[in-house]
Amino acid sequence: LLALAAVSLIAASAAAQTMTRGPYLQSGTEDSVVVRWRTSSATNSRVRFGPQPGQLTSMADEPTVTTEHVVRLTGLAPSTKYHYAVGTTSATLAGDDANHFFVTSPPRGVAAPMRIWVLGDAGTGSSSQQAVRNAYYAFTGSTHTNLVLLLGDNAYSDGTDSEYQSNFFNVYPTVLRKSVVWSTLGNHDGHSATSSSQSGPYYDIFTFPVNGEAGGVPSGTEAYYSFDCGNVHFVCLDSYESSRSPTGAMLQWLTQDLAMNTNTWLVAFFHHPPYSKGSHN
């Protein structure tokens, strides 16, 4: 009876879960992707995935009980569309429909069309932010957005967790669940995050490659990193907190990373423009 009661309590707990953030996609490569989401209370994690809704025959589990769910899917085929669902080992919380999917990157070094949405200083929570979002959705239509690049100041005014929820996750849920998001740190994000310790809401929210698992030279930090998508090499730099000295760790890493790059295209992104004129001179 005690065993049955325990099973019943576990099942009831799983059924009572609600999704409070996500799902959203991180660190996508030709054969892997990270799926993240947040729940109202702590549970284990499961992602089911497959070629079509109703055919999610593969799965990846994370047994750690948490409200911040981070599950890496591996062994995927390049340039392939997968549908997915997220939840616990006993309940599905979201997905298994036409709106929850991801497309893996092309093989590294292989040319392929891609659409990239670049957003900077977007997270103001204003009607203008929503108007820009709606205009992009109307423009791209049925063309899939492979990557979203965030140029920093993603959630005004201080990059707190609640500001990220209201000014980022609540604004872009439809693209976040199907397009891999990459970001660089802005000064407003840095009000509540620290690059040297990789701590604070910004670093808690995002999962970026530190060991070269997405291509490029390992950086050892989420403050700056690189990744490949087809024949494009992307380099993320931290223009706010990490040392910009020519002898500093970031520039030393960058020199090595660029020397190893053989891709046709190179895209570097960071928050502060090389030249600017306005309230910041």
Side-chain angles (χ1 to χ4, degrees):
L1 287 174
L2 286 173
L4 287 173
V7 170
S8 297
L9 285 171
I10 292 171
S13 174
Q17 297 308 306
T18 58
M19 183 90 70
T20 60
R21 174 176 293 175
Y24 59 106
L25 305 174
Q26 298 278 271
S27 292
T29 73
E30 62 187 53
D31 58 9
S32 66
V33 70
V34 171
V35 184
R36 295 194 55 158
W37 69 96
R38 176 182 287 181
T39 51
S40 55
S41 56
T43 69
N44 58 24
S45 312
R46 170 170 287 176
V47 177
R48 295 185 296 116
F49 57 100
Q52 297 289 339
Q55 300 178 28
L56 309 185
T57 54
S58 299
M59 66 180 64
D61 290 347
E62 173 51 61
T64 303
V65 174
T66 181
T67 59
E68 296 294 334
H69 304 270
V70 183
V71 180
R72 185 180 298 275
L73 312 185
T74 60
L76 307 175
S79 300
T80 301
K81 183 178 183 179
Y82 291 88
H83 291 263
Y84 70 95
V86 302
T88 70
T89 53
S90 58
T92 296
L93 297 178
D96 197 7
D97 57 32
N99 298 317
H100 289 75
F101 66 88
F102 58 85
V103 179
T104 51
S105 300
R108 293 178 191 175
V110 175
M114 67 180 69
R115 175 152 292 176
I116 305 168
W117 190 17
V118 185
L119 289 166
D121 291 69
T124 60
S126 67
S127 58
S128 297
Q129 181 184 14
Q130 297 177 40
V132 170
R133 175 202 62 193
N134 295 341
Y136 177 75
Y137 287 175
F139 165 77
T140 198
S142 60
T143 300
H144 178 62
T145 301
N146 302 81
L147 306 175
V148 178
L149 294 186
L150 304 178
L151 303 185
D153 289 359
N154 306 321
Y156 276 85
S157 294
D158 300 302
T160 63
D161 186 81
S162 61
E163 288 170 341
Y164 260 94
Q165 188 64 47
S166 60
N167 297 349
F168 179 70
F169 288 103
N170 290 352
V171 177
Y172 305 112
T174 58
V175 74
L176 294 177
R177 70 173 66 109
K178 58 187 179 181
S179 300
V180 176
V181 177
W182 307 84
S183 182
T184 186
L185 182 77
N187 52 296
H188 283 269
D189 306 301
H191 290 174
S192 57
T194 304
S195 292
S196 59
S197 61
Q198 297 176 73
S199 61
Y202 175 88
Y203 289 105
D204 294 338
I205 286 167
F206 295 114
T207 301
F208 299 133
V210 300
N211 297 314
E213 58 267 46
V217 172
S219 67
T221 175
E222 289 185 298
Y224 49 89
Y225 57 89
S226 61
F227 64 95
D228 293 326
C229 184
N231 68 339
V232 185
H233 186 62
F234 294 85
V235 175
C236 171
L237 300 175
D238 176 11
S239 64
Y240 178 60
E241 277 203 334
S242 298
S243 170
R244 274 84 71 198
S245 166
T247 58
M250 180 168 64
L251 270 294
Q252 298 247 348
W253 164 80
L254 177 61
T255 300
Q256 297 175 39
D257 186 79
L258 296 181
M260 294 293 292
N261 176 41
T262 59
N263 284 285
T264 305
W265 296 94
L266 173 66
V267 176
F269 62 106
F270 45 93
H271 181 65
H272 294 83
Y275 301 96
S276 69
K277 181 62 180 176
S279 60
H280 299 292
N281 189 1

